[in-house]
Amino acid sequence: MRLIFLGPPGAGKGTQASILADIAQVPHISTGDILRQAIADATPLGQKAKDYMDRGDLVPDPLILDLIRDRLSQSDTQKGWILDGFPRNVKQAEFLDQLLAEIHQSANYVVNLEVSDEILVVRLLGRGRTDDNEETIRRRLEVYHGQTAPVITYYQNKGTLHNIPGEDEMAEVTQRLKTLIQG
Ligand code: AMP
């Protein structure tokens, strides 16, 4: 299984990606988690990424593209992967296409979890991550609509996109996803 999760911050990508990764026994690759770990470990990547993340801006592409190239070259990804939080703009999506072609892979599913802004704000405010304060949330939604939402159109045009309603209870959304991947 090779699945790309799209959707705004707070849509439930992380939760659903980790459930599906358990079911399919493939690594759950969250660029946000990798960056937060890098900050916790005070690595050069973490030091470079921190201010962008605190503001709710995207971390510059060169850092993210190196990170994803490294991660997808690790042997555990041979059996598949679930990408969560990448690609976040059209340039990253184009890079991913090229990288996957190089390593003779392709995504079987691109899933877009749909949740309205009103519900996202309520969910994000309730989550309590350091970048979940009101100002950063506003900025992350702005960045999402400006830079990340065009990625949906990118995959729509390639004909590989599945829109999944994401406002219902977690278990119901999981069921929809299972129906998609298990046919
Ligand atoms: P997330 O955990 O996916 O909500 O990501 C948290 C933060 O990490 C985002 O607000 C960005 O600052 C950064 N980030 C995560 N993934 C990416 C990416 N693919 N490109 C750029 N920045 C990212």
Side-chain angles (χ1 to χ4, degrees), residues 48-60 63 136:
K48 286 179 202 145
K50 185 175 187 315
D51 288 348
Y52 295 97
M53 292 174 75
D54 286 345
R55 285 198 303 268
D57 282 327
L58 294 186
V59 171
L63 295 176
T136 307

Side-chain angles (χ1 to χ4, degrees), residues 31-32 35-36 53 57-59 64 85-86 88 92 129 131 140:
T31 45
L35 292 169
R36 278 183 290 278
M53 292 174 75
D57 282 327
L58 294 186
V59 171
I64 298 290
F86 179 93
R88 211 69 158 228
Q92 293 182 5
R129 230 166 63 184
D131 58 347
R140 276 156 63 210

Side-chain angles (χ1 to χ4, degrees), residues 4-38:
I4 299 169
F5 252 114
L6 305 177
K13 295 188 299 293
T15 307
Q16 299 295 346
S18 105
I19 294 170
L20 293 189
D22 266 358
I23 295 172
Q25 289 292 298
V26 295
H28 167 202
I29 301 176
S30 155
T31 45
D33 285 350
I34 294 171
L35 292 169
R36 278 183 290 278
Q37 189 60 49

